[in-house]
Every structure is written in C-alpha cells, then in structure tokens.
Amino acid sequence: MLTLYGCLRSRASRNAWLLHEAGLDFRHVPVIQAYRLADPEAPDAPLHTRSPDFLAVNPNGHIPSLVDDGLVLHESLAINLYLARRHGGALGPADAAEDGLMGMWSLWAATEVEPHSIEILYNRVGKPPAERDAAKAEAAVAALRNPVAVLDRALAESSFLVGGRFTVADINVAEVMRYALPAPELFTDAPRVKAWMEACHARPAFRRMMADREREPA
Amino acid sequence: MLTLYGCLRSRASRNAWLLHEAGLDFRHVPVIQAYRLADPEAPDAPLHTRSPDFLAVNPNGHIPSLVDDGLVLHESLAINLYLARRHGGALGPADAAEDGLMGMWSLWAATEVEPHSIEILYNRVGKPPAERDAAKAEAAVAALRNPVAVLDRALAESSFLVGGRFTVADINVAEVMRYALPAPELFTDAPRVKAWMEACHARPAFRRMMADREREPA
C-alpha cells in the first residue's frame, strides 16, 4: 500500500506524475503548506505541514512524504528514484550505470537548477506583484543559462536523459525545470530543451496530475 | 579503472573518503576551482574548472566528476551513491528500502542542510574577514536548527543513519554537515550528532583523505 502526503501544488506533483506513469494505485493525503493558511491553529484548518499528525510522519515539516508498506521516505526526487527502481519497470534503471546517471541528473536538478528556477517562479508569478523582486528573477535567469545549455547538449544525443527512453530522470529534471518556464528567454537558444519539455507535458500521466492539481483549492 | 577529478579542498573530499573506505584504487586528477586562481588563463595555470580539458569531462564546470570505465558522472553525492552501490559492499544498500533511504538522506543533505551549512563555512571561516557577513551566518544557523534536531532524533534509534551500520548515507550527510562545524552552538543541544560526527572523523579513511587534503596547496 502506497500513501503520498502532500497537496499537488507542491513538489508532490513529481511523485503523483511518476505514480501515474507507473500505473500504481496510491492513497493521496493532500497535506497543505502551513504558510499558505491564514490560521494554521484554527480547529477547522486542513491537515498542514506543522500539524502534529503530519510531523509524526515527517519531522522536517515539508511535503511530500511517501509511505510504502511501513517504509517512510521524504525528499521528492529521492522518492521518485525509489519508486522507479522498486515499482517503476522501465522508468527505473536497467543496471548500475543507469542508476548512477538517474541519481546524477536528480542531484543536478536539485543543486544546479532548483535554487534558481524557484526564484523565477516566486518572483515572476508566485508572489503577489508588490512582493516580486525583478532583480532576483534576472539573477536566476543568468545563473540558469549554463545548466540549460548543458541540458540542451545532453538532449542532442538522445530525446531522453538516460537509456534512450523516458525515465524517472526526465520526470525529476522536467519538474524542477518547470519552475523556470516563466522565463521563456531561457529556452529560445535551447530548442531541444523546449521540445523535450513539451513532450514531457503532453504525456497523459502528467496531464492527469495537472488536472487533479487544478481541482485543488488555490 | 576509476578516475576522480577535483582537488580535495572541494566536494571531491566526499568521494575520496568513500573510495578509501571501500578500499578502491583510483587515479586522482586534482582539478582546482577557477575562482581560486589569480589568472586562470596563464599558460602555467594548473588544470581548473574552466579549462577546456576539464569542460570536456564536465560541461557544468564544477568538481568533482568521476569516470568509471567510460561512465562519466557528476554531482558528489550521486557519485558516492553510485560507488557504494556498485563497488562499496556494505557501504551500499542491501535492498531497495536501504537504497531509498540512502537516496533520501543524500537529497536531504543537499536540500535541507547544504544551502545553509555552506553559508556558515563561507561567512565564519572561508572568506577573508572583511568580506564575511555575520548576519548571513546567523540566518544559516537559525535555518539549520530543525534539520540538526531531525538528525539527532534519527541517531537516537541507531548510531548510523541506515541499516544499523556505517554507510554512504553517513558519509554524504557528515560531509555536508561538516561545513556547519564553525557554528558549535548548533550542536550543544544535539549530543548524538556531535558524537556521530566525531566517530565519522575518527575513521582511518576520513583521516587519510584529510591528510592528503592538507598536503594540497592552500
């Protein structure tokens, strides 16, 4: 029995997408970020990241978490690597070399891309207009130029990142790079990244996740 | 044949430590960070992260990278997960659950700890005194309080992070947390983290790596 904790307007989107790709049944507990609630202490507040019931699952107080038959895992990208390896068939590695490359791309997304892509998201669309910092978004765009070029070159060799087929590496990198889409100027010189993102987002499993996400409270 | 690129005064220290733990022979190419050189373009400059010869190995221009019999990997934590799984014996996972937990702790180190621990290192000891920002170091200490508490609680259940034995998860987390040691106030309420770090740093493989590191140019 698989249980995914975390609303889909969070990094849990990555896990829901992969679970749909793998055709896995799961229970979804839509824990919300505490900072999004006006009064997290209110008796009718929904389950959130500072609720004692959720902190008992993940003491980090962050979403998502996954429980698989008693095994508790946090960190969205690690959860996807685990799910792909254990339950994901061809989404996971065929051998140790592929496993290494899937881990590399996932850590690359976390360290080379996400600190910048999240600033683009926050400062171009996420925050209320008065709180956005245009200079921070610009700095993030500048910092992402080389990572986007690296990704574009990798996609020149194959339409997918590892093993010549769609895998967890594509999901993990595409989900982190999605936060940079409010900076379209990043992708004009990276036609392969653009085409790859569009192909990722045309997949039925991604569209199903996004449709579920749209139905969640804003 | 294993080749590790990157001087030991960099995240390559993590990989050298694991390679020694596993008793693996490797060729070490001490690529240096370009920003540490007064003139990276000088004809007698050592091999560095912007040298064309190194960019041909890692177009990200960052160290470390590893080459294992033709397989090229970047990202220090991913390199260690790969080495442990493929060549590391008991340092690596015994099953998919352990593999998932080792990945989780490594991503946890990268996302919950390193963005803050590196600020402590830079702003308390790394930068020249006039360039240090005490407020940034303070903010990083505050941000690490909960991650350190989470780690301390995890170590209450076992002296090691995964599987009741010393593994790649301990190396990856200890190396990221090492950057926070210039903030000893973080560890006074986390006695298990303190004892675990001391045990990690007493290991012969860690000491061998640190001795090699001390012999590198400052």
Side-chain angles (χ1 to χ4, degrees):
Chain A
M1 173 61 169
L2 294 163
T3 303
L4 177 64
Y5 292 85
C7 60
L8 296 175
R9 295 181 193 276
S10 84
R11 293 177 173 92
S13 61
R14 302 163 184 182
N15 308 125
W17 179 9
L18 187 134
L19 287 158
H20 292 322
E21 289 279 356
L24 295 165
D25 279 327
F26 63 103
R27 186 170 72 105
H28 182 210
V29 182
V31 182
I32 197 170
Q33 298 94 338
Y35 67 79
R36 285 173 54 191
L37 296 171
D39 182 9
E41 306 288 319
D44 63 342
L47 189 67
H48 60 77
T49 49
R50 295 293 173 274
S51 300
D53 284 356
F54 179 66
L55 289 171
V57 175
N58 184 359
N60 295 287
H62 290 154
I63 45 178
S65 289
L66 179 91
V67 180
D68 180 7
D69 206 12
L71 176 71
V72 184
L73 291 176
H74 320 302
E75 295 296 327
S76 57
L77 302 174
I79 289 170
N80 270 0
L81 289 168
Y82 165 81
L83 284 171
R85 197 185 291 118
R86 185 150 194 179
H87 303 295
L91 294 170
D95 55 32
E98 286 193 3
D99 211 341
L101 290 166
M102 290 169 182
M104 177 192 80
W105 279 112
S106 301
L107 262 303
W108 179 87
T111 64
E112 298 271 3
V113 179
E114 192 150 26
H116 311 299
S117 65
I118 203 97
E119 290 293 339
I120 291 172
L121 184 71
Y122 287 160
N123 290 293
R124 289 217 174 155
V125 298
K127 292 185 180 183
E131 294 171 28
R132 294 177 197 166
D133 183 333
K136 270 195 183 170
E138 278 307 302
V141 169
L144 279 182
R145 293 255 174 230
N146 195 52
V148 168
V150 167
L151 184 58
D152 205 61
R153 238 172 307 162
L155 291 167
E157 290 162 35
S158 162
S159 307
F160 304 104
L161 289 174
V162 178
R165 66 186 189 280
F166 182 81
T167 72
V168 60
D170 299 289
I171 294 177
N172 280 356
V173 174
E175 278 290 86
V176 172
M177 200 57 95
R178 177 161 62 90
Y179 298 159
L181 288 181
E185 68 269 36
L186 263 174
F187 303 101
T188 45
D189 294 335
R192 295 178 206 98
V193 175
K194 206 161 183 277
W196 166 84
M197 283 283 271
E198 284 165 4
C200 285
H201 292 174
R203 296 180 71 88
F206 177 83
R207 295 164 74 104
R208 181 173 165 195
M209 177 279 287
M210 285 301 266
D212 291 343
R213 183 174 174 278
E214 290 305 315
R215 278 191 292 272
E216 288 188 344
Chain B
M1 173 62 169
L2 293 164
T3 303
L4 176 64
Y5 292 85
C7 60
L8 297 175
R9 296 181 195 274
S10 83
R11 293 177 172 92
S13 61
R14 303 163 183 182
N15 307 126
W17 179 7
L18 187 134
L19 287 159
H20 292 322
E21 289 279 356
L24 295 166
D25 279 327
F26 64 103
R27 186 170 72 106
H28 182 211
V29 182
V31 182
I32 197 171
Q33 299 92 338
Y35 68 78
R36 286 172 55 191
L37 296 172
D39 180 10
E41 307 288 319
D44 63 342
L47 190 65
H48 61 77
T49 50
R50 295 292 174 277
S51 300
D53 283 357
F54 179 66
L55 289 172
V57 176
N58 184 0
N60 295 287
H62 290 154
I63 45 177
S65 290
L66 178 92
V67 179
D68 180 7
D69 206 12
L71 175 70
V72 185
L73 290 176
H74 321 302
E75 295 296 326
S76 57
L77 303 174
I79 289 170
N80 269 359
L81 289 168
Y82 165 81
L83 284 171
R85 197 186 290 119
R86 184 149 194 180
H87 303 294
L91 294 170
D95 55 31
E98 286 193 3
D99 210 341
L101 289 166
M102 290 169 182
M104 177 192 80
W105 280 113
S106 301
L107 263 301
W108 180 86
T111 64
E112 299 270 2
V113 179
E114 193 150 25
H116 311 299
S117 65
I118 202 96
E119 290 294 338
I120 291 172
L121 184 71
Y122 287 160
N123 290 293
R124 289 217 174 155
V125 298
K127 292 183 180 184
E131 294 172 26
R132 294 178 197 166
D133 182 334
K136 268 195 184 169
E138 279 307 302
V141 169
L144 279 182
R145 292 256 174 229
N146 194 52
V148 169
V150 166
L151 183 58
D152 205 62
R153 238 172 307 162
L155 292 167
E157 290 162 35
S158 163
S159 307
F160 303 103
L161 288 174
V162 177
R165 66 186 189 281
F166 182 81
T167 71
V168 60
D170 299 288
I171 294 177
N172 280 355
V173 175
E175 277 290 86
V176 172
M177 199 59 93
R178 177 161 63 90
Y179 298 159
L181 288 181
E185 69 269 36
L186 263 175
F187 303 102
T188 46
D189 294 335
R192 295 179 206 98
V193 175
K194 206 161 181 279
W196 166 84
M197 283 282 272
E198 285 165 4
C200 284
H201 292 174
R203 297 181 70 89
F206 177 84
R207 295 164 75 105
R208 180 171 165 197
M209 178 278 289
M210 286 301 266
D212 291 342
R213 184 174 173 277
E214 291 306 313
R215 277 191 292 273
E216 288 187 345

